[in-house]
Amino acid sequence: MRSTLEEAIVETHSTPLENRPRLPRIALSKRNRAVVRALNPMLVTYLEASRDLCETDSILFGAALAVCRIIGAKVSTAGRATGHSSAIPAWRRRIVERIAKARALIGRLICFRSGNNRPRIVRTVRMAFAGTNVSLSQPDITQKLTERIDNLKQRIAAWGKRIRRYTERSTRFNQNRLFQSDQKRLYESLDRPMVSGTGPAPNQADTVAFWRGLWSEPVNHSEGPWTEVVASQCAGITPVDPVIITPDDVAEAVRRAPNWKSPGLDGLHHFWLKGFMVCHSVLARQFQEALNQKSLPSLFTTGITHLVPKDQGTTDPSKYRPITCLPTIYKTLTSF
């Protein structure tokens, strides 16, 4: 385990952020928790030698990667920046693929029943009856084709009902979980119609040009005289006491955060900050240094932006709401 940990930390340190593997969500089993607890004290040596937050982030990611390798979890090696995950769940994609194949087969069977004897059609029909005693030269082949078509239609109907049943169950589960965490947000989602991003996407060049005009172009703001009035009114306000961050503060902030909330560019989830508790004292010290120096590494102010549609089926870039995922360590710092 120690050699695996050291190899993962060295590998992560020399790997660019965009080429880091995507860490999977691991099951919270006793065995997996035991592996995390076993690696926890081994990190003390590496974390004590950490010079800044970027190095600490790299060490924690390497430790998380080592845990995944030890327990045999599947780790994607395609890189995080180039991978595009689909919003459609895997189970739904599998069922939709089955339905599409069944409909295509029904079309071929109907063509053969209508007298189409092209080699491609005949080959498909033979594959459909493979493993049975049905021969295409039988006198009752028409009846067999009809029975096969009806059977496929019944399967399609059953798969469609399964999709609806699974979707309703998922919706109930998400609503119950949202009710526990944010009732106001749940009621707002029930009042307004659901907007999905399954329609045509906007042109990439137009989207980049639109958001670059808002984010990248320098803007000269003219401050009015009201700013001087506000400054004079605030001159007599007593400044707040300096913020002192302790390891207990870090532990409490990490405890409140969801385990698998979407990470930022570094790919590190809150679960690993909870599991590797020895990092809390190091993070508290480095957080305090960052506040005293009034500066943070560029890693923690760089995020992955996703565009969420505000209207149904729109290709206008201005009709999308940007959601940026920042690194987990930065979100921990701003939660105090």
Side-chain angles (χ1 to χ4, degrees), residues 14-82:
S14 59
T15 303
L17 286 175
E18 60 272 12
N19 294 335
R20 282 185 179 180
R22 186 183 298 274
L23 295 177
R25 297 185 180 186
I26 65 173
L28 303 181
S29 61
K30 291 183 179 180
R31 174 178 175 271
N32 293 347
R33 291 180 183 273
V35 173
V36 175
R37 286 195 299 267
L39 291 186
N40 190 51
M42 300 181 189
L43 290 176
V44 175
T45 305
Y46 300 97
L47 291 174
E48 287 179 350
S50 175
R51 294 168 295 180
D52 53 22
L53 286 170
C54 288
E55 192 168 350
T56 300
D57 180 271
S58 177
I59 293 171
L60 293 175
F61 187 91
L65 181 61
V67 171
C68 294
R69 290 176 176 175
I70 291 171
I71 66 177
K74 185 178 181 180
V75 179
S76 173
T77 59
R80 303 189 67 257
T82 57

